[in-house]
Amino acid sequence: VPYPPQKVRVVPELSMDGMVTLEWKKGAGSDSYVIYFGGRSGDYTGRLLSRFDKTLRPLRWEGALGMPLTPAEKEELLVRPQALQERLAGLIRVTVTNEMIERNMVQDKRTGRPFRRPMVLETDRAYYFAVASVREDVGTESGLSNEVVTIVRPALEGMEPR
């Protein structure tokens, strides 16, 4: 069984306008990840697979050159690229969007039932997230990571989330 991801957090600088960017440290023995989310703590009404969506676009990024970077990280990449790459090594970022949610709603493996309803990320509402590691060769899923909560923010004028 893979270990759950560690140090899951929301990246606030990349989370706005109906998007939430999560970051975590890779779980040992994992091939991919499942993101659980909902409007109440521990009550997850959605489940997203983080390897690929149905259009086969990658949903996760690893390494400083591939993942979305905050404005401060973009500046650091210009000045100290090696230091930034070392700091981000072993981290994964996933940006959850409403489009991703709609395309990736799947059955809840923990209960065997479909999730109650597709949830969309609405501005000024709180959402709870937890992540599980998956080992695909044997089809096992870890326990859940620490839970994080965020309030979806509107886009700030002049700022792009990516």
Side-chain angles (χ1 to χ4, degrees), residues 68-122:
L69 300 175
T70 67
E73 290 167 340
K74 287 178 184 177
E75 288 181 23
E76 185 178 352
L77 185 62
L78 295 173
V79 179
R80 302 177 6 184
Q82 187 65 30
L84 179 67
Q85 289 177 19
E86 289 172 9
R87 188 166 55 79
L88 297 179
L91 295 179
I92 293 175
R93 284 186 182 164
V94 173
T95 299
V96 178
T97 66
N98 286 326
E99 180 183 13
M100 179 196 303
I101 292 169
E102 290 171 14
R103 282 200 306 257
N104 287 278
M105 289 303 295
V106 294
Q107 188 170 344
D108 185 349
K109 281 190 171 182
R110 294 177 192 276
T111 65
R113 298 185 314 254
F115 281 102
R116 291 187 286 279
R117 60 178 162 66
M119 174 180 277
V120 294
L121 300 175
E122 298 175 16

Side-chain angles (χ1 to χ4, degrees), residues 30-94:
S30 59
D31 300 316
S32 63
Y33 300 89
V34 178
I35 300 166
Y36 289 87
F37 64 97
R40 292 189 310 214
S41 178
D43 184 21
Y44 305 118
T45 56
R47 180 178 183 269
L48 301 170
L49 307 175
S50 74
R51 181 164 281 240
F52 294 99
D53 68 10
K54 292 179 182 173
T55 63
L56 299 181
R57 290 184 303 174
L59 297 179
R60 69 177 192 196
W61 296 275
E62 299 178 32
L65 300 179
M67 69 172 52
L69 300 175
T70 67
E73 290 167 340
K74 287 178 184 177
E75 288 181 23
E76 185 178 352
L77 185 62
L78 295 173
V79 179
R80 302 177 6 184
Q82 187 65 30
L84 179 67
Q85 289 177 19
E86 289 172 9
R87 188 166 55 79
L88 297 179
L91 295 179
I92 293 175
R93 284 186 182 164
V94 173

